Amino acid sequence: MLLQPAAAAERHLSTAHPSPAPMSLEPTSAGGGFASFSLDRRIVDALGALGFETPTPIQAQAIEQVLEGRDLIGRARTGSGKTAAFGLPLLERVKDGGAPVRALVLTPTRELALQVTEALRSYATKLPVSIVTIYGGASYGPQNSALRRGVPIVVGTPGRVLDHLRRGSLDLSQLEMLVLDEADEMLRMGFLEDVETVLAAAPAERQVLLFSATMPAEIRRVAASHLRDPIEIQVEERALCVDHITQKRITVPQRHKLDALGRVLAAEFPEASLVFVRTRAACAEVADALAKSGVDADALHGELGQGARERVLQRLRSGRLRVVVATDVAARGIDVEHITHVINFDLPSDVESYVHRIGRTGRAGRAGTAIAFVTPAEERKVRWLERSLRVAIAPMTVPSDRAIQDARLERMVAELRAAEVPEALEALLDTLEEETSLRAIALGALARLSEKHGLDLSRPADAEPPRWARAGFAPRKGRGRERSGAARAPRPEGDEIELFFPVGAARGVRPGDLVGALANDTGIAGSDVGRITVLPHKSFVRLSREAGERVLAAHDELELRGRRVPIAKARPRSGEHAPRKPFGGRGKGRPKGPKGPRRAGPHGKRGKGGKR
Ligand code: AMP
């Protein structure tokens, strides 16, 4: 499914931010869908079968002009629909099949080459056209025979394409169209020289389409020297498809986010990851905390100069950093695409930013994972994201110590499997098999490796999620409903637990603050809250027994009016039912009936914390 084809994208996602002045965006000629392009009926039919109804912005703008033979620079990334933007005119050109290679698509990775081939095949189901994919790491045999049989379309990685050119198994003398897909990624992977050699091997009269998410100077230079009077199209991030990115969410109270982050990073072990936070202060704080716990992490925020930013990103690219903690402003427009994970430590304020953030992963046909940290109070925001994007953001449990340990062991097994085995050791295998259990050797090797990596296997690791996550978080309902829920459902005393807070009205505490703190930090529902008593120097909140036990098991403090305040189970008080002085009011949220005299003050309002 495409997130937002053309007009729909504009309608759904044009939220807070003005667009970053793209060169062109509005669909131009696609009012009538794909049938309005000068495309063969068979191609249009195939698109219909795929459910493509409305061209995406880049398709709307590119297709007709590419059909006319224009060169093109498309500033677009995976998810924009760029494959069809070049693929449909390409198929139109070679629709009758035939032998000489007439179209070549160069991609940075094998994964992307296979993905492009698959997409082209799906648009060409009704055409007599064959396609060959050539990439490194695979044997030459099948690629050679496919090329010998004759194919009009080749999709491949630059190195292997060049090899075939040099060996004479690939002839580009009849080439009419050359597509450079994800050019910036090819540059990053050191393929630019190969790309230029391939360009030089193609006839002067070919059409070149260059796609790149970013436009570093070197890509501009290639475009200037190899493309003729190209049209240039830029696609906004908000029109992206995020289907290829696995989206997950973890419910986590604000104060446990660092623990959750550490656990997620330890279990998932991203090759490179980007953690988004809301503020510059949080950026430094989170990066510091990670670095202190031994994670290779650094911060990327607005105060850093361009040089410092580039150095951070360079360390990420080269594998010396695994985690970059960034704010939206700092990460804007920066090429950080080869990352495997995006973690929304703080949720962004709008859908557009969310799409922009998670679009930083899942590049060049690789898999990408986006994990959102959601406080219990933000449940509604996630449902809104899901509705706007028409995706399910799957809940994920916080990795337990055991899960982290298992993940580390799995990586060690993979490391052992991937180790190059010298011949001398292979020879040893025959003698070993006789007397020694190979399993014992494998376990021995793992034990040694764990020791080396500081993994303590001497104690059993806890298979349960951390204590704070075990409590479970009921999705928080709207405040109004919470309160009326409490009012409608008074519980008998025996079913309740009373919490004690050592602060009260003298510090400005109001009943609403207590409800807010409980809902935000523990995720309990308003209907679990019973009577609230605010005295000058202490406060009490009654909760259903079940909720109270959950809260006490997972929390020994809560954030109340910006301060961390210890909580405990209240001791039975003498004169329980006769407070000397009422403070504040919870209005309709206060349980009635069997609870004795009203304690909250007379000013309570629905939806507000009440006045002192
Ligand atoms: P791409 O950016 O070319 O990798 O395309 C991203 C995803 O969008 C792929 O799953 C395509 O199948 C899908 N897609 C591309 N164009 C359209 C369209 N016009 N309507 C619906 N889905 C599309």
Side-chain angles (χ1 to χ4, degrees):
M1 178 218 54
L2 183 85
L3 164 60
Q4 300 296 337
E10 305 299 322
R11 198 161 10 90
H12 279 282
L13 295 178
S14 54
T15 45
H17 301 303
S19 61
M23 279 149 254
S24 77
L25 244 192
E26 296 303 316
T28 48
S29 59
F34 289 94
S36 65
F37 297 125
S38 328
L39 287 170
D40 192 285
R41 187 73 234 165
R42 291 168 295 175
I43 299 177
V44 177
D45 286 351
L47 294 177
L50 289 173
F52 286 23
E53 284 166 13
T54 319
T56 67
I58 193 157
Q59 293 162 1
Q61 293 196 60
I63 291 175
E64 205 55 51
Q65 306 211 56
V66 175
L67 283 167
E68 284 163 14
R70 293 286 302 271
D71 280 3
L72 171 108
I73 297 175
R75 289 195 58 177
R77 64 174 75 232
T78 306
S80 58
K82 64 185 165 64
T83 318
F86 67 74
L88 302 179
L90 182 155
L91 288 169
E92 178 65 30
R93 213 179 242 278
V94 305
K95 63 186 177 191
D96 297 322
V101 176
R102 291 164 63 199
L104 169 66
V105 182
L106 288 181
T107 69
T109 63
R110 167 183 182 271
E111 290 90 343
L112 187 57
L114 291 167
Q115 195 175 292
V116 167
T117 304
E118 194 188 316
L120 294 180
R121 287 202 176 120
S122 72
Y123 314 145
T125 45
K126 298 179 194 297
L127 301 176
V129 171
S130 43
I131 306 170
V132 62
T133 325
I134 59 182
Y135 47 82
S139 64
Y140 280 86
Q143 299 180 0
N144 283 338
S145 37
L147 288 169
R148 260 199 309 275
R149 273 198 308 277
V151 283
I153 306 170
V154 172
V155 181
T157 50
R160 183 55 71 95
V161 166
L162 202 57
D163 277 354
H164 278 285
L165 270 178
R166 290 192 176 127
R167 290 161 174 240
S169 41
L170 175 65
D171 174 14
L172 294 182
S173 62
Q174 307 294 311
L175 195 77
E176 295 172 29
M177 186 188 272
L178 176 58
V179 181
L180 308 177
D181 196 6
E182 310 221 338
D184 50 353
E185 197 80 2
M186 294 202 261
L187 163 72
R188 197 182 63 72
M189 294 171 72
F191 287 145
L192 210 58
E193 216 175 293
D194 292 353
V195 170
E196 296 209 78
T197 315
V198 175
L199 275 160
E205 287 306 307
R206 80 280 149 134
Q207 183 179 14
V208 182
L209 313 178
L210 181 152
F211 291 87
S212 197
T214 55
M215 272 295 151
E218 280 194 81
I219 300 290
R220 286 237 163 260
R221 183 189 58 72
V222 170
S225 43
H226 299 279
L227 275 66
R228 269 174 312 183
D229 185 24
I231 42 167
E232 191 160 341
I233 296 173
Q234 179 174 351
V235 175
E236 279 182 287
E237 298 285 348
R238 70 183 183 194
L240 289 183
C241 167
V242 287
D243 277 5
H244 61 298
I245 299 165
T246 307
Q247 296 179 60
K248 301 188 208 170
R249 42 169 294 193
I250 293 182
T251 305
V252 45
Q254 188 67 31
R255 72 188 185 104
H256 292 297
K257 281 184 174 177
L258 268 177
D259 182 40
L261 180 62
R263 288 172 177 276
V264 166
L265 292 173
E268 303 260 325
F269 206 71
E271 191 186 321
S273 56
L274 197 52
V275 174
F276 280 100
V277 293
R278 202 169 293 134
T279 63
R280 192 187 302 161
C283 197
E285 192 186 317
V286 173
D288 277 357
L290 287 175
K292 275 195 194 116
S293 67
V295 178
D296 303 318
D298 209 342
L300 192 71
H301 53 69
E303 251 177 24
L304 295 179
Q306 189 57 32
R309 273 200 227 188
E310 255 320 306
R311 278 194 293 282
V312 172
L313 293 169
Q314 192 43 44
R315 283 162 58 218
L316 184 69
R317 279 185 211 113
S318 65
R320 276 177 291 141
L321 268 188
R322 253 184 346 108
V323 184
V324 165
V325 186
T327 56
D328 286 300
V329 177
R332 189 161 295 153
I334 289 176
D335 170 17
V336 284
E337 284 91 351
H338 78 293
I339 60 178
T340 53
H341 286 67
V342 166
I343 296 171
N344 279 302
F345 188 89
D346 293 320
L347 278 185
S349 54
D350 56 81
V351 182
E352 193 177 325
S353 310
Y354 178 79
V355 171
H356 183 271
R357 286 178 177 187
I358 73 170
R360 301 278 142 190
T361 180
R363 293 269 292 142
R366 298 189 192 94
T369 302
I371 300 173
F373 286 4
V374 183
T375 65
E378 287 173 325
E379 293 289 336
R380 273 216 305 240
K381 206 165 170 178
V382 172
R383 283 198 291 281
W384 170 63
L385 270 179
E386 288 182 310
R387 268 200 308 276
S388 310
L389 301 180
R390 287 181 259 139
V391 292
I393 304 179
M396 166 182 170
T397 19
V398 192
S400 64
D401 291 348
R402 175 72 165 279
I404 294 170
Q405 191 179 82
D406 288 350
R408 291 186 69 184
L409 282 170
E410 230 169 76
R411 286 196 296 275
M412 286 177 202
V413 173
E415 191 182 326
L416 287 173
R417 275 182 196 280
E420 238 172 77
V421 181
E423 266 178 43
L425 270 185
E426 288 210 14
L428 201 64
L429 199 62
D430 295 337
T431 53
L432 281 177
E433 237 161 347
E434 309 271 303
E435 306 124 43
T436 325
S437 149
L438 291 178
R439 284 167 179 242
I441 295 183
L443 290 181
L446 266 181
R448 272 291 154 84
L449 207 55
S450 347
E451 226 174 85
K452 192 177 117 194
H453 288 295
L455 178 61
D456 181 7
L457 296 170
S458 60
R459 285 175 294 120
D462 194 349
E464 293 290 317
R467 236 160 60 98
W468 61 261
R470 280 179 224 173
F473 308 99
R476 192 174 169 227
K477 297 183 192 125
R479 286 212 151 183
R481 273 181 292 140
E482 265 175 30
R483 295 188 167 214
S484 52
R488 267 188 267 110
R491 259 167 297 280
E493 305 267 282
D495 250 10
E496 290 188 329
I497 278 185
E498 193 164 43
L499 302 186
F500 166 74
F501 296 74
V503 283
R507 285 270 170 85
V509 171
R510 295 163 307 169
D513 299 324
L514 296 161
V515 178
L518 282 162
N520 285 334
D521 265 12
T522 73
I524 59 163
S527 53
D528 286 317
V529 181
R531 183 167 42 179
I532 293 182
T533 310
V534 179
L535 302 175
H537 299 292
K538 52 192 168 189
S539 310
F540 299 89
V541 177
R542 291 192 170 199
L543 295 177
S544 68
R545 178 161 298 281
E546 194 265 328
E549 277 169 358
R550 257 192 297 138
V551 170
L552 287 168
H555 303 268
D556 41 26
E557 43 178 39
L558 287 184
E559 184 160 328
L560 198 59
R561 297 187 67 87
R563 296 174 56 220
R564 304 230 50 93
V565 172
I567 55 168
K569 189 169 171 187
R571 283 199 302 268
R573 284 168 283 149
S574 55
E576 166 99 51
H577 299 293
R580 273 169 298 160
K581 192 176 171 193
F583 273 95
R586 291 191 63 233
K588 302 198 175 194
R590 197 187 64 83
K592 295 177 190 139
K595 297 246 173 129
R598 179 173 175 150
R599 287 188 177 197
H603 309 293
K605 272 191 202 158
R606 187 186 175 111
K608 287 259 166 76
K611 293 175 195 160
R612 281 178 42 220

